[in-house]
Amino acid sequence: EVQLVESGGGLVQAGGSLRLSCAASGFRFRFDDYAIGWFRQAPGKEREGVSCISSSTGSTYYADSVKGRFTISSDNAKNTVYLQMNNLKPEDTAVYYCAADWGPCYSDYPTRGMDSWGKGTLVTVSS
């Protein structure tokens, strides 16, 4: 059974930074054969794709709203994907989820039917 466990959320002031982690286990295939994405859902809003990485190809994708501020990376030895979030804004406040699906990331990842999801970690950015 695939398990994705997010950590690293918390309360931060605007302009601050956080690093989220997504620890994965139970994959049927190699960790780097999977697309790992970060999604977020703010209160009263629909879930949106934030970023996605294909460890096998090095491909990364970002939502326009986070480009230049967020960086996704992976540590294949630890089966962990990170989301470094800098210059955080109040509008970044949301529950952040990581999700996984076999195969590479593509630019359509925000609407891709990801197979497995974590339970989420809350990020709150105060103004």
Side-chain angles (χ1 to χ4, degrees):
E1 179 184 359
V2 174
Q3 285 193 325
L4 302 171
V5 180
E6 304 95 336
S7 61
L11 174 64
V12 64
Q13 288 187 333
S17 299
L18 285 174
R19 188 178 80 154
L20 305 183
S21 299
C22 173
S25 62
F27 282 157
R28 180 178 179 184
F29 303 106
R30 290 165 50 96
F31 174 76
D32 59 3
D33 286 337
Y34 289 80
I36 307 291
W38 284 98
F39 297 76
R40 67 186 181 185
Q41 187 165 20
K45 295 188 177 180
E46 292 188 354
R47 186 177 65 203
E48 64 172 336
V50 175
S51 184
C52 191
I53 186 167
S54 297
S55 298
S56 60
T57 64
S59 298
T60 57
Y61 297 89
Y62 296 93
D64 287 343
S65 58
V66 307
K67 279 181 182 175
R69 300 188 298 122
F70 291 10
T71 303
I72 193 170
S73 62
S74 67
D75 184 336
N76 292 349
K78 295 182 178 180
N79 282 11
T80 299
V81 169
Y82 304 97
L83 185 69
Q84 178 67 44
M85 306 186 296
N86 298 329
N87 190 21
L88 283 160
K89 303 176 180 180
E91 52 262 43
D92 294 318
T93 295
V95 177
Y96 284 71
Y97 301 90
C98 70
D101 192 34
W102 187 81
C105 278
Y106 297 105
S107 58
D108 66 345
Y109 76 91
T111 56
R112 177 173 178 168
M114 306 295 274
D115 270 346
S116 303
W117 291 82
K119 294 183 178 180
T121 186
L122 177 62
V123 172
T124 304
V125 184
S126 62
S127 57

